[in-house]
């Protein structure tokens, strides 16, 4: 296993990165990206074991409901670079298993790649979402064929790909870019049916970064104003593949349209399961914030506040219940791997994502305007303003200004500032958006049984 220092060193591999139009030559020297690297490096150190055959828990496939539950519990403590690695590799292995009968050579390549990733202790992203151009048109109908990543040349020793994958979490902080088709390709769209693995520093790869890392913290302002996001942030990558050569051993699909959706389907399940685990935790955090700020404001016994908090309790509990149902009804694949229920995973993720905004609304409603306007930590420290802030931000004995301000700063950072906005959209779009989750839920729901029950009530049972 790599140490944190080895991981930091491994990123100095000549990768082509940009941020705000500037070229980034040293990730750790860039304040808006350095915290992400530090978080991943700390994870390497925390899990490091020196034995030659040691591997991180993200490289194991759950084989029982207990394994699955434990892994989901642990996943909440991993950085997002490691989370995407685990989900991406699980999806790749799942896709390999489903392709084995038709394409044993691809399945063997995926398995060899998985073993290599494990041995080298690398991190990899799931590069699925294409630029997509005109949303109503298929890849072959676009006025620019590169709007979906495609094969532009086939050589005896590999393929050359061109295109872009957008919104890719942790691309700059990972070693490997695992490219998969974003959707089902039709016959005639063979060039767009491509899956492969590309090193982040491969010639022709450019990664344009965006981040919700707080800009104020980056310029040396007080981290107490961003208690969450100044320590927990990971860049999103806009990855361009400008005629990138991929050797055969890293090509997992090259034209077989029948399997073009296999990867996205496999990934959807693991990503939504992880998303639901995060939503269950976030639901509890939102409820905790609501209760704390209500108490700090003297409002915890007021009926409309209690009603809102009890709705937040229902939300957190039902998301967790859906997650538990997905785990406890998991089924074993022929390989011995445990797959969570598609129905419960998708329904729970959909419920958690769709109702998320309302839970944030309750918190903002209960908390009041100081969520946004509470003076900063510097105002409290200042000899000129500190006494005013202490006098007017306290509410009662036991609730002094600093305690209440720290709660407000945390709520603002977590739900109403750069990270809060990022989280708001991410909850809706991650794992393919609400519509995709509704489709998969409907597909796995037992509608025939539901119809039979309704017919029985109507006295129309055959
Ligand atoms: C913070 C963040 C991190 C992400 N990380 C990753 C990642 O690591 N890897 C990755 O591959 N992706 C990632 N994604 C991408 C995510 O999966 C997509 O944002 C999501 O699938 C929606 O795609 P889109 O953004 O292109 O939006 P669009 O496809 O434009 O969708 C917007 C809306 O239009 C609807 N729509 C689109 N096309 C049609 C159509 N033909 N007919 C009817 N309705 C349509 C959709 O249902 C949706 O409601 C991430 C996204 C975010 C926000």
């Amino acid at each position: 296993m790599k140490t944190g220092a080895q991981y930091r060193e491994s990123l100095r591999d000549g990768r082509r990165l940009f941020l705000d139009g500037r070229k980034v030559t040293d990730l750790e020297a860039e304040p808006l990206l350095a915290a992400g690297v530090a978080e991943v490096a700390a994870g390497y150190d925390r899990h490091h074991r020196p034995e030659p055959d040691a591997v991180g828990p993200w490289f194991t496939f759950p084989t029982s409901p207990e394994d699955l539950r434990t892994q989901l519990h642990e996943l909440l403590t991993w950085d997002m670079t490691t989370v995407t690695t685990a989900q991406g590799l699980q999806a790749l292995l799942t896709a390999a298993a489903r392709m084995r009968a038709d394409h044993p050579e691809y399945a063997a390549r995926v398995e060899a790649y998985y073993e290599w990733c494990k041995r080298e202790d690398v991190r990899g992203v799931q590069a699925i979402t294409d630029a997509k151009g005109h949303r109503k048109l298929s890849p072959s109908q676009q006025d620019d064929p590169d709007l979906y990543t495609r094969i532009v040349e086939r050589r005896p020793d590999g393929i050359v790909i061109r295109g872009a994958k957008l919104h890719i979490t942790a691309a700059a902080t990972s070693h490997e870019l695992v490219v998969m088709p974003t959707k089902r390709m039709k016959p005639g769209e063979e060039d767009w049916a491509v899956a492969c693995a590309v090193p982040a520093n491969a010639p022709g790869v450019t990664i344009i970064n965006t981040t919700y890392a707080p800009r104020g913290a980056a310029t040396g302002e007080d981290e107490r104003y961003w208690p969450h996001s100044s320590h927990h942030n990971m860049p999103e990558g806009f990855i361009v593949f400008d005629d990138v050569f991929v050797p055969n051993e890293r090509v997992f699909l090259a034209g077989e349209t029948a399997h073009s959706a296999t990867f996205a389907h496999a990934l959807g399940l693991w990503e939504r399961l992880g998303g639901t685990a995060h939503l269950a935790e976030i639901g509890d955090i939102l409820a905790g914030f609501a209760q704390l700020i209500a108490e700090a404001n003297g409002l915890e016994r007021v009926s409309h506040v209690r009603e809102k908090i009890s709705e937040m309790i229902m939300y957190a509990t039902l998301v967790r219940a859906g997650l538990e149902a997905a785990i406890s009804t998991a089924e074993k694949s022929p390989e011995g791997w445990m797959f969570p229920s598609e129905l419960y995973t998708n329904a729970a993720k959909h419920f958690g994502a769709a109702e998320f905004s309302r839970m944030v609304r309750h918190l903002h409603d209960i908390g009041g305007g100081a969520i946004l306007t509470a003076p900063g930590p510097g105002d409290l420290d200042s000899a000129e303003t500190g006494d005013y802030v202490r006098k007017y931000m306290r509410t009662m004995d036991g609730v002094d200004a600093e305690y209440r301000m720290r709660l407000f700063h945390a709520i603002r950072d977590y739900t109403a500032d750069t990270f809060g906005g990022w989280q708001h959209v991410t909850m809706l779009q991650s794992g393919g958006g609400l519509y995709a989750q509704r489709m998969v839920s409907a597909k796995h729901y037992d509608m025939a049984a539901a119809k039979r029950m309704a017919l029985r009530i109507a006295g129309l049972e055959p």
Side-chain angles (χ1 to χ4, degrees):
M1 294 176 79
K2 281 191 173 62
T3 61
Q6 287 167 331
Y7 164 71
R8 289 173 190 273
E9 192 49 41
S10 69
L11 297 178
R12 301 179 195 283
D13 58 2
R15 59 188 60 204
R16 207 171 123 80
L17 306 177
F18 288 84
L19 178 73
D20 293 342
R22 284 177 288 113
K23 195 160 182 183
V24 177
T25 47
D26 180 354
L27 271 161
E28 292 185 77
E30 172 54 61
L32 289 171
L33 301 175
V37 175
E39 201 181 347
V40 184
Y44 268 100
D45 280 337
R46 204 166 49 247
H47 290 93
H48 181 75
R49 283 185 293 131
E51 308 90 78
D53 56 349
V55 292
W58 39 88
F59 288 120
T60 51
F61 220 116
T63 54
S64 70
E66 274 325 301
D67 272 1
L68 195 52
R69 190 174 282 110
T70 305
Q71 194 174 81
L72 283 167
H73 195 69
E74 285 184 8
L75 176 142
L76 297 174
T77 67
W78 301 342
D79 59 84
M80 277 314 288
T81 302
T82 301
V83 170
T84 56
T85 303
Q87 291 171 344
L89 290 177
Q90 281 177 344
L92 211 52
L93 275 187
T94 305
R98 292 176 187 167
M99 289 196 306
R100 193 184 318 280
D102 297 337
H103 303 289
E105 74 288 5
Y106 287 146
R109 283 179 195 173
V110 166
E111 280 157 4
Y113 176 65
Y114 184 80
E115 290 304 317
W116 177 85
C117 289
K118 222 158 62 167
R119 212 168 42 246
E120 297 298 320
D121 200 11
V122 294
R123 300 292 180 268
V125 299
Q126 319 148 9
I128 289 216
T129 311
D130 282 294
K132 297 193 288 198
H134 189 314
R135 268 46 181 170
K136 286 287 278 177
L137 303 180
S138 65
S140 57
Q141 293 169 327
Q142 302 286 336
D143 59 10
D144 180 344
D146 301 341
L147 289 170
Y148 284 79
T149 303
R150 66 185 179 122
I151 301 168
V152 289
E153 192 185 338
R154 291 167 191 272
R155 298 183 191 164
D157 55 345
I159 56 173
V160 176
I161 62 168
R162 187 188 303 160
K165 295 285 186 182
L166 312 191
H167 338 273
I168 309 305
T169 301
T173 48
S174 295
H175 306 100
E176 292 282 305
L177 312 174
V178 180
V179 174
M180 310 181 217
T182 199
K183 64 175 187 179
R184 183 181 303 286
M185 302 296 164
K186 297 196 276 276
E189 295 182 329
E190 284 73 16
D191 287 344
W192 290 275
V194 58
C196 57
V198 178
N201 67 343
V205 171
T206 299
I207 304 173
I208 302 168
N209 292 279
T210 51
T211 177
Y212 50 85
R215 305 224 159 209
T219 56
E221 280 184 45
D222 202 317
E223 286 181 7
R224 285 175 292 171
Y225 200 54
W226 290 277
H228 178 76
S229 64
S230 56
H231 299 288
H232 303 282
N233 59 68
M234 216 47 84
E236 317 289 351
F238 181 116
I239 309 175
V240 179
F241 298 93
D242 194 1
D243 291 2
V244 175
F245 174 72
V246 188
N248 281 331
E249 64 268 24
R250 291 288 188 262
V251 176
F252 311 134
L253 191 79
E256 297 77 6
T257 53
H259 277 293
S260 51
T262 305
F263 295 85
H265 286 165
L267 183 64
L269 178 62
W270 293 111
E271 215 180 65
R272 288 168 204 159
L273 185 74
T276 308
H278 276 117
L279 275 164
E281 186 185 51
I282 293 167
D284 288 335
I285 291 170
L286 295 180
F289 271 140
Q291 182 68 27
L292 286 169
I293 203 67
E295 288 170 5
N297 289 349
L299 289 172
E300 76 276 19
R301 291 193 210 290
V302 169
S303 68
H304 82 90
V305 171
R306 284 168 65 156
E307 262 168 44
K308 282 167 193 143
I309 293 177
S310 55
E311 238 190 88
M312 297 172 85
I313 294 170
M314 303 296 178
Y315 169 84
T317 307
L318 283 176
V319 175
R320 196 170 292 287
L323 179 69
E324 273 300 314
I327 296 169
S328 56
T329 57
E331 286 179 8
K332 231 177 198 159
S333 74
E335 295 75 23
W337 304 327
M338 223 56 216
F339 283 87
S341 147
E342 290 269 8
L343 178 60
Y344 288 122
T345 301
N346 279 273
K349 171 71 171 67
H350 185 282
F351 172 72
E355 295 298 308
F356 178 76
S357 299
R358 221 154 60 82
M359 298 307 122
V360 173
R361 188 187 85 189
H362 285 338
L363 174 59
H364 290 175
D365 190 4
I366 293 167
I371 290 172
L372 294 180
T373 62
D379 301 310
L380 191 63
D381 294 344
S382 156
E384 297 203 49
T385 57
D387 285 345
Y388 294 142
V389 174
R390 270 185 284 280
K391 177 175 167 68
Y392 292 110
M393 285 303 290
R394 74 175 282 284
T395 47
M396 64 190 90
D397 267 357
V399 183
D400 65 16
E402 185 180 355
Y403 172 78
R404 194 156 160 263
M405 285 164 68
R406 287 180 73 160
L407 276 182
F408 281 130
H409 295 155
I411 294 171
R412 192 207 72 259
D413 185 22
Y414 202 69
T415 63
D417 210 326
T418 314
F419 171 76
W422 175 91
Q423 183 158 257
H424 222 107
V425 178
T426 303
M427 287 307 141
L428 285 178
Q429 297 295 352
S430 68
L434 294 181
Y435 179 59
Q437 288 144 42
R438 274 203 299 276
M439 293 231 305
V440 180
S441 301
K443 184 174 160 205
H444 291 273
Y445 179 74
D446 190 350
M447 185 53 87
K451 279 164 67 179
R452 275 198 307 277
M453 290 161 78
L455 284 171
R456 200 173 306 143
I457 298 284
L460 293 169
E461 201 177 16

